[in-house]
Amino acid sequence: MGRVITVLERHKNLIKVKFRGEFGYFFPDTNLVNQSTKVETFIDAEKALSDYLAKEDNQLIMVPRGFDVDDLLFIVQAISKEEIQLGHEGDLGIFEINPDGKIKRQAE
């Protein structure tokens, strides 16, 4: 991994981040790859991950964790709402999504 923008908080329409010791904010629909690709924003990355996991958006909690500036990778954690409601952990893993929509699960 290269330089990573770390997501500190996510609100409905705002993401608080830290990068190189500086704090900042951006919108979830901000194009972070500066190109026209399949996955350009955290919203696109969450949708691609939802499709990959074959679950509806309302069955998942998506937690953006970071964005790798050098490799253009969105880092998103997926959590199952159903499993949490049943009293289980619900963690489905942390995934890296590239601008082409290819998804790779991070090693634990």
Side-chain angles (χ1 to χ4, degrees), residues 30-100:
T30 300
N31 183 336
L32 297 176
V33 297
N34 289 330
Q35 304 168 27
S36 181
T37 59
K38 184 176 178 182
V39 178
E40 301 173 344
T41 68
F42 269 109
I43 292 174
D44 296 340
E46 291 169 4
K47 175 73 175 119
L49 184 54
S50 172
D51 293 346
Y52 174 79
L53 295 172
K55 299 214 181 247
E56 295 294 320
D57 288 341
N58 63 355
Q59 296 176 319
L60 295 169
I61 299 169
M62 296 292 192
V63 182
R65 302 290 296 264
F67 178 75
D68 186 319
V69 176
D70 297 325
D71 297 327
L72 302 179
L73 294 173
F74 293 89
I75 304 159
V76 179
Q77 180 178 9
I79 300 169
S80 169
K81 283 185 185 177
E82 295 170 347
E83 291 295 314
I84 293 213
Q85 290 169 344
L86 295 171
H88 304 294
E89 185 179 285
D91 184 19
L92 300 173
I94 299 173
F95 299 85
E96 297 174 347
I97 302 108
N98 77 8
D100 296 327

